[in-house]
């Protein structure tokens, strides 16, 4: 692999390219991204530097959106919000649909909260990084270098 450089002043900087994600990140992905930025900056930085952040967020968004649509459909069916109600009383139908959407969104947000707390893959990744830092830090210190 050939790396190209651009001269900026007296320095040569590598031309780095970040692969574009064509899938949308969406609401659920943006919420997760903000959480990672605020509470898990190491994980956020790792995903960003390894060019996996956008695909991770797009996957999470797709899964959350599918779950949201499933919950919404189940609630509509359980509460009798049908096309017949829409024809008979449109305002009542809209009220029910908005109520169902809001409740389904809250359920997804709560599931994402639990996902944050039990995201063992991400936590194990952070633990692994810290483990290697703990191993390498004394080696560099003994060699007289800063890490």
């Amino acid at each position: 692999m050939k790396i190209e450089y651009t001269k900026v002043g007296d320095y040569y900087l590598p031309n780095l390219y970040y692969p574009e994600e064509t899938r949308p990140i969406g609401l659920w992905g943006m919420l997760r991204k903000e959480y990672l930025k605020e509470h898990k900056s190491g994980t956020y930085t790792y995903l960003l530097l390894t060019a996996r952040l956008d695909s991770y967020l797009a996957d999470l968004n797709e899964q959350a959106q599918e779950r949201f649509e499933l919950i919404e459909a189940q609630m509509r069916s359980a509460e009798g919000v049908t096309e017949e109600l829409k024809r008979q009383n449109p305002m009542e139908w809209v009220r029910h649909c908005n109520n169902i959407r809001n409740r389904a969104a809250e359920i997804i947000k709560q599931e994402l909260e639990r996902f944050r707390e039990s995201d063992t893959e991400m936590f194990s990744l952070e633990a692994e990084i810290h483990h290697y830092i703990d191993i390498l830090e004394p080696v560099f210190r003994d060699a007289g270098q800063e890490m």
Side-chain angles (χ1 to χ4, degrees):
M1 179 174 155
K2 182 181 175 189
I3 300 176
E4 297 178 8
Y5 294 87
T6 302
K7 187 172 183 178
V8 178
D10 293 336
Y11 301 100
Y12 284 95
L13 300 176
N15 297 333
L16 302 177
Y17 300 100
Y18 189 75
E20 292 280 329
E21 176 64 51
T22 56
R23 298 176 297 164
I25 291 174
L27 171 67
W28 311 114
M30 287 188 285
L31 289 173
R32 180 65 175 177
K33 182 178 180 179
E34 287 305 311
Y35 171 78
L36 289 173
K37 274 185 182 178
E38 290 178 25
H39 302 288
K40 300 290 177 190
S41 61
T43 302
Y44 173 78
T45 303
Y46 174 78
L47 289 170
L48 185 64
L49 292 175
T50 57
R52 290 194 257 174
L53 180 64
D54 288 347
S55 63
Y56 169 76
L57 296 173
D59 290 342
L60 183 128
N61 183 66
E62 287 173 1
Q63 291 170 6
Q65 188 62 35
E66 287 172 9
R67 181 86 174 115
F68 173 80
E69 290 168 2
L70 175 68
I71 291 170
E72 186 181 30
Q74 288 174 344
M75 286 179 157
R76 281 186 185 184
S77 144
E79 295 177 19
V81 180
T82 62
E83 291 296 316
E84 182 63 31
L85 177 63
K86 184 178 180 180
R87 278 191 294 278
Q88 291 175 355
N89 192 346
M91 293 304 289
E92 185 70 15
W93 180 83
V94 168
R95 187 179 67 78
H96 281 292
C97 287
N98 286 340
N99 187 310
I100 289 170
R101 287 184 66 79
N102 290 336
R103 286 185 289 148
E106 284 301 315
I107 291 170
I108 297 299
K109 286 178 187 175
Q110 288 175 358
E111 288 179 358
L112 285 175
E113 288 290 326
R114 282 195 298 275
F115 174 70
R116 289 175 187 163
E117 295 168 3
S118 66
D119 191 358
T120 55
E121 178 183 333
M122 297 307 289
F123 289 132
S124 66
L125 176 64
E126 279 186 319
E128 187 176 337
I129 291 169
H130 289 293
H131 172 71
Y132 286 116
I133 289 173
D134 291 341
I135 291 171
L136 293 174
E137 195 169 39
V139 173
F140 281 105
R141 195 175 326 112
D142 292 341
Q145 298 176 1
E146 289 292 320
M147 210 172 143

